[in-house]
Amino acid sequence: MTATPTVPKGRSLSAQRKRAAFWFLVPMLAALLFVAAWPLFRTIYFSFTDTSLTSLYDGKWIGFDNYLSYRQLSSGKVIWRGTLVDPAWWNAVWNTVRFAFVSVALETVLGLMVALVLHRNFVGRGWVRAAILIPWAIPTIVSAKMWAWMLNDQFGIINDMLLRVGLIDAKIAWTANIETAMIAVLIVDVWKTTPFMALLCLAGLQMIPKDIYEAAKVDGISALRVFWRVTLPLLKPALMVAVIFRSLDALRVFDLVYVLTPNSKATKTMSVIARENLIEFDRFAYGSAQSTLLFALIAIFVSLYIWLGKMDLGGKADQ
Amino acid sequence: MMRYLKSVAFYAVVVVIVVVSVFPFYYAIITSFKTGTALFSIDYLPTSFDLSNYRGVLDSPNFIRSVLNSVLIAGATVGFAMFLAVTASYALARVRFRGRALLLMSILAVSMFPQIAVLAGLFELVRFLGIYNTPWAMIMSYTIFTLPFTVWVLTTFMRDLPLEIEEAAIIDGATPWDIVSKVFLPLMWPALVTTGLLAFIGAWNEFLFALTFTASESQRTVPVAIAMLSGSSEFEMPWGTLMAASVLVTVPLIILVLIFQRKIVAGLTAGGVKG
């Protein structure tokens, strides 16, 4: 196809391809507008109204009242209302941020360790890789229930193990206790998600050329130094992507918390409290405002990340 | 000596990794074979082999129903997503047009949506369409995560196919539709199977929408059925039945994941998205 096509023919070919591309994309985009963009717009709209669950179409526009409003009493005292002054909301924000930070940090460190182990050549490596896929394959709800049983205060095997080893003196009600509920959620989340981290790190490790390590070996550089100076910097891009995806996932956590520690103030996250208001407490508009805030938080997080230019999204495609 | 110690330590770490990964599932299995008071004695090794929990689960019509619901919903939603994604990802991967990078970025952004952000709007939509408490509510709402995921993974896959195969077809006068259906589709089976499997697992495991858009027991999906399985009080949780149900719905997934493990790892790294 070197010199044969004349200019108009080439143009019409490319025009035909573009037209086809347009029609190929339309159904997918229409579907996404219908199930994602429109519902998102409606959620944001509801957050500015006083809509209730039972009469979805009777809501009146009330501006920012679900977020923040104030009223001055005759005594001159000002009363603030709305999500932004709701202690339950800020408690949920704090729980979510704490959960996201600790779980992603632990998963990254442990995932990296598992990946370094799996990167070595040893007998039975395939079996180990298969074994670590098991927590990933188990549905979150099922793993929450399995761990709820293991963490059971009376008959749980975790208490039994800890008692035998002597780490605790009395049985702990892991999921019910305010002080340990978050630890229980973190244990299950780390168990379930570290494999995902490990696999992404392993893929990153396998892309590092082997001769770098050989050169380091020849120069007699210690393994620890090689890790800090060579492996980690080269792994950073892959690691960053994994951390971002995990953080976004952790910020919207719902199912694990809802099932493992129902109604615990110590673990209630933003998604849990928003759904509670939306559906269970019939404060539909108030819950919409909380959903919108969570969306805004995640949107800021994502745009910051893209703005920092860490993710090469279209670059490769446009070569 | 030092070398020997080192390799012992290494294998010790390997054993810890394997035991921690597998133990909860193993413990669920041995619990599922226990009934009555045997449930409340803590055993590290299997002590009884009583199938009555499994019989109980399989005899319950609602459990079977929820499995069927989940299969139908996950199957339909993945089929629908794949149908739209194949042509869309061809356009995104192989045709150059303005705004392509932006479009790809928006699709990725949709897959990062917190589901709660669309819950209120979807609830309205589901009510409006009259599909509340039917499988259609889930089939429709799951598209929000299965579609961006399949488009993204298939786009990365198609981008890596060599130019030549397409050029030959263009010279032969093939239309873009011919190229997708006759040239790319046959090459894409492996990618389609992996992507479909990952999307299927995602839909199978989904909880928030299924919890919100169903009301009656017969419409529940597997995760909702398991989450709602309870005795008359918190202290009478039917742990044996619960573990039997958990094992039953997890074993097929584990088998699938182990069969396709290499492909799944490749798909996950291409998508960078949690399945």
Side-chain angles (χ1 to χ4, degrees), chain A residues 7-46:
Chain A
V7 176
K9 178 136 193 283
R11 187 184 286 160
S12 80
L13 187 66
S14 119
Q16 185 205 10
R17 280 171 68 83
K18 275 186 189 155
R19 206 165 48 239
F22 174 77
W23 287 110
F24 282 171
L25 285 168
V26 163
M28 187 265 301
L29 291 175
L32 281 185
L33 283 179
F34 186 67
V35 297
W38 171 251
L40 176 67
F41 166 76
R42 289 299 286 177
T43 301
I44 296 173
Y45 169 79
F46 283 137

Coordinates of all heavy atoms in Angstrom, one line a residue, chain A residues 7-46:
Chain A
V7 N -4.9 10.5 -3.3 CA -5.3 11.3 -2.1 C -6.8 11.2 -1.8 O -7.1 10.8 -0.6 CB -4.9 12.8 -2.2 CG1 -5.3 13.5 -1.0 CG2 -3.3 12.8 -2.3
P8 N -7.7 11.4 -2.7 CA -9.1 11.3 -2.4 C -9.5 10.0 -1.9 O -10.3 9.8 -1.0 CB -9.9 11.7 -3.7 CG -8.9 11.9 -4.7 CD -7.5 11.9 -4.1
K9 N -8.9 8.9 -2.5 CA -9.3 7.6 -2.1 C -8.9 7.3 -0.6 O -9.7 6.8 0.2 CB -8.6 6.5 -3.0 CG -8.9 5.1 -2.6 CD -9.2 4.2 -3.8 CE -9.8 2.9 -3.3 NZ -8.9 2.0 -2.8
G10 N -7.6 7.7 -0.3 CA -7.2 7.6 1.0 C -8.0 8.3 2.0 O -8.4 7.8 3.1
R11 N -8.5 9.5 1.6 CA -9.3 10.3 2.5 C -10.6 9.6 2.7 O -11.1 9.5 3.9 CB -9.5 11.7 1.9 CG -10.2 12.6 2.9 CD -10.5 14.0 2.3 NE -9.3 14.7 2.2 CZ -9.1 15.8 1.4 NH1 -10.1 16.1 0.5 NH2 -8.0 16.5 1.3
S12 N -11.2 9.1 1.6 CA -12.5 8.5 1.8 C -12.4 7.2 2.7 O -13.3 6.9 3.4 CB -13.1 8.1 0.4 OG -12.6 6.9 0.0
L13 N -11.3 6.5 2.5 CA -11.1 5.3 3.3 C -11.1 5.7 4.8 O -11.7 5.1 5.7 CB -9.8 4.6 2.9 CG -9.6 3.3 3.6 CD1 -10.6 2.3 3.2 CD2 -8.2 2.7 3.3
S14 N -10.3 6.7 5.1 CA -10.2 7.1 6.5 C -11.5 7.7 7.0 O -11.9 7.5 8.1 CB -9.0 8.1 6.7 OG -9.5 9.3 7.1
A15 N -12.2 8.4 6.1 CA -13.5 8.9 6.5 C -14.5 7.8 6.8 O -15.3 7.8 7.7 CB -14.1 9.8 5.4
Q16 N -14.4 6.7 5.9 CA -15.3 5.6 6.1 C -15.0 4.9 7.5 O -15.9 4.5 8.2 CB -15.1 4.6 5.0 CG -16.0 3.4 5.0 CD -15.4 2.2 4.3 OE1 -14.2 2.2 4.0 NE2 -16.2 1.2 4.2
R17 N -13.7 4.8 7.8 CA -13.3 4.2 9.1 C -13.8 5.1 10.2 O -14.2 4.5 11.2 CB -11.8 4.1 9.1 CG -11.3 2.9 8.4 CD -9.8 2.9 8.3 NE -9.1 2.7 9.6 CZ -8.9 1.5 10.1 NH1 -9.3 0.4 9.5 NH2 -8.3 1.4 11.2
K18 N -13.7 6.4 10.1 CA -14.1 7.2 11.2 C -15.6 7.1 11.4 O -16.1 7.2 12.5 CB -13.7 8.7 10.9 CG -12.3 9.0 11.4 CD -11.9 10.4 11.2 CE -10.4 10.5 11.5 NZ -9.8 11.7 10.9
R19 N -16.3 7.1 10.2 CA -17.8 7.0 10.3 C -18.2 5.6 11.0 O -19.0 5.6 11.9 CB -18.4 7.0 8.9 CG -19.8 7.5 9.0 CD -20.3 8.0 7.6 NE -20.0 7.0 6.5 CZ -19.3 7.2 5.5 NH1 -18.7 8.4 5.3 NH2 -19.1 6.3 4.6
A20 N -17.5 4.6 10.6 CA -17.8 3.3 11.2 C -17.4 3.3 12.7 O -18.2 2.8 13.6 CB -16.9 2.2 10.6
A21 N -16.3 4.0 13.1 CA -15.9 4.1 14.5 C -17.0 4.8 15.3 O -17.3 4.4 16.4 CB -14.6 4.8 14.6
F22 N -17.5 5.8 14.7 CA -18.6 6.5 15.3 C -19.8 5.6 15.7 O -20.3 5.6 16.8 CB -19.0 7.7 14.5 CG -20.2 8.5 15.0 CD1 -20.0 9.4 16.0 CD2 -21.5 8.3 14.4 CE1 -21.1 10.1 16.5 CE2 -22.6 9.0 14.9 CZ -22.4 9.9 16.0
W23 N -20.2 4.9 14.7 CA -21.4 4.0 14.9 C -21.0 2.8 15.8 O -21.9 2.3 16.5 CB -22.0 3.5 13.6 CG -22.7 4.6 12.9 CD1 -22.3 5.3 11.7 CD2 -23.9 5.3 13.3 NE1 -23.2 6.3 11.4 CE2 -24.2 6.3 12.4 CE3 -24.7 5.1 14.4 CZ2 -25.3 7.1 12.5 CZ3 -25.8 5.9 14.5 CH2 -26.1 6.9 13.6
F24 N -19.8 2.4 15.8 CA -19.3 1.4 16.7 C -19.4 1.9 18.2 O -19.6 1.1 19.1 CB -17.9 0.9 16.4 CG -17.8 0.0 15.2 CD1 -16.6 -0.4 14.7 CD2 -19.0 -0.5 14.6 CE1 -16.5 -1.2 13.6 CE2 -18.9 -1.3 13.5 CZ -17.7 -1.7 13.0
L25 N -19.1 3.2 18.4 CA -19.0 3.7 19.7 C -20.4 4.1 20.3 O -20.6 4.1 21.5 CB -18.1 4.9 19.7 CG -16.6 4.6 19.6 CD1 -15.8 5.8 19.4 CD2 -16.1 3.9 20.9
V26 N -21.3 4.5 19.4 CA -22.6 5.0 19.8 C -23.3 4.1 20.8 O -23.7 4.6 21.9 CB -23.5 5.4 18.7 CG1 -24.9 5.6 19.1 CG2 -23.0 6.7 18.0
P27 N -23.5 2.8 20.5 CA -24.3 2.0 21.5 C -23.7 1.9 22.9 O -24.3 2.1 23.9 CB -24.3 0.6 20.8 CG -23.9 0.8 19.4 CD -23.1 2.0 19.4
M28 N -22.3 1.8 22.9 CA -21.6 1.7 24.2 C -21.8 3.0 24.9 O -22.1 3.0 26.1 CB -20.1 1.4 23.9 CG -19.3 1.1 25.0 SD -18.4 2.5 25.7 CE -17.4 3.1 24.3
L29 N -21.6 4.2 24.2 CA -21.7 5.4 24.9 C -23.2 5.7 25.4 O -23.4 6.2 26.5 CB -21.3 6.6 24.0 CG -19.8 6.6 23.7 CD1 -19.4 7.6 22.7 CD2 -19.0 6.8 25.0
A30 N -24.1 5.3 24.6 CA -25.5 5.5 25.0 C -25.8 4.6 26.2 O -26.4 5.1 27.2 CB -26.4 5.0 23.8
A31 N -25.3 3.4 26.3 CA -25.5 2.6 27.5 C -24.8 3.2 28.7 O -25.4 3.3 29.8 CB -24.9 1.2 27.2
L32 N -23.6 3.8 28.5 CA -23.0 4.4 29.7 C -23.7 5.7 30.1 O -23.8 5.9 31.3 CB -21.5 4.7 29.4 CG -20.6 3.5 29.4 CD1 -19.1 3.9 29.2 CD2 -20.7 2.8 30.8
L33 N -24.2 6.4 29.2 CA -24.9 7.6 29.5 C -26.2 7.2 30.4 O -26.5 7.9 31.3 CB -25.4 8.4 28.3 CG -24.3 9.2 27.6 CD1 -24.9 9.9 26.4 CD2 -23.7 10.3 28.5
F34 N -26.8 6.2 29.9 CA -28.1 5.7 30.5 C -27.8 5.2 31.9 O -28.6 5.5 32.9 CB -28.7 4.7 29.6 CG -30.0 4.2 30.0 CD1 -31.1 5.1 30.0 CD2 -30.3 2.9 30.5 CE1 -32.4 4.7 30.4 CE2 -31.5 2.5 30.9 CZ -32.6 3.4 30.8
V35 N -26.8 4.4 32.1 CA -26.7 3.7 33.5 C -25.7 4.4 34.4 O -25.6 4.2 35.5 CB -26.2 2.2 33.4 CG1 -27.3 1.4 32.7 CG2 -24.9 2.1 32.7
A36 N -24.9 5.4 33.8 CA -23.9 6.0 34.7 C -24.1 7.5 34.8 O -24.3 8.1 35.8 CB -22.5 5.7 34.2
A37 N -24.1 8.2 33.6 CA -24.1 9.7 33.6 C -25.5 10.2 34.1 O -25.5 11.0 35.0 CB -23.8 10.2 32.2
W38 N -26.5 9.6 33.6 CA -27.9 10.1 34.0 C -28.1 9.8 35.5 O -28.5 10.8 36.2 CB -28.9 9.5 33.1 CG -30.3 9.7 33.6 CD1 -31.2 8.8 34.1 CD2 -31.1 10.9 33.6 NE1 -32.4 9.4 34.4 CE2 -32.3 10.7 34.1 CE3 -30.7 12.2 33.2 CZ2 -33.3 11.7 34.2 CZ3 -31.7 13.2 33.3 CH2 -33.0 12.9 33.8
P39 N -27.9 8.6 36.0 CA -28.1 8.4 37.5 C -27.2 9.3 38.3 O -27.7 9.8 39.4 CB -27.8 6.9 37.7 CG -28.0 6.3 36.4 CD -27.6 7.3 35.3
L40 N -26.0 9.5 37.9 CA -25.1 10.4 38.6 C -25.7 11.8 38.7 O -25.8 12.4 39.8 CB -23.7 10.4 38.0 CG -22.8 11.4 38.7 CD1 -22.4 10.9 40.1 CD2 -21.5 11.5 37.9
F41 N -26.2 12.3 37.5 CA -26.8 13.6 37.5 C -28.0 13.7 38.4 O -28.2 14.7 39.2 CB -27.2 13.9 36.0 CG -28.1 15.1 35.9 CD1 -27.6 16.4 36.0 CD2 -29.4 14.9 35.7 CE1 -28.5 17.5 35.9 CE2 -30.3 16.0 35.6 CZ -29.8 17.3 35.7
R42 N -28.8 12.6 38.4 CA -30.0 12.6 39.3 C -29.6 12.6 40.7 O -30.3 13.3 41.5 CB -30.9 11.4 38.9 CG -31.6 11.5 37.6 CD -32.5 12.7 37.5 NE -33.8 12.6 38.2 CZ -34.7 13.5 38.3 NH1 -34.5 14.7 37.8 NH2 -35.8 13.3 39.0
T43 N -28.6 11.9 41.1 CA -28.2 11.8 42.5 C -27.8 13.2 42.9 O -28.2 13.7 44.0 CB -27.0 10.9 42.7 OG1 -27.4 9.6 42.3 CG2 -26.5 10.8 44.1
I44 N -27.0 13.9 42.1 CA -26.6 15.3 42.5 C -27.8 16.2 42.5 O -27.9 17.0 43.5 CB -25.5 15.8 41.4 CG1 -24.3 14.9 41.5 CG2 -25.2 17.2 41.7 CD1 -23.3 15.2 40.4
Y45 N -28.7 16.0 41.6 CA -29.9 16.8 41.6 C -30.7 16.6 42.9 O -31.1 17.5 43.6 CB -30.8 16.6 40.4 CG -32.2 17.1 40.5 CD1 -32.4 18.5 40.2 CD2 -33.3 16.4 40.9 CE1 -33.6 19.1 40.3 CE2 -34.5 16.9 41.0 CZ -34.7 18.3 40.7 OH -35.9 18.8 40.8
F46 N -30.9 15.3 43.3 CA -31.7 15.0 44.5 C -31.0 15.6 45.7 O -31.7 16.0 46.7 CB -31.7 13.5 44.7 CG -32.7 12.8 43.8 CD1 -32.3 11.6 43.2 CD2 -33.9 13.3 43.6 CE1 -33.2 10.9 42.4 CE2 -34.9 12.6 42.8 CZ -34.5 11.4 42.2

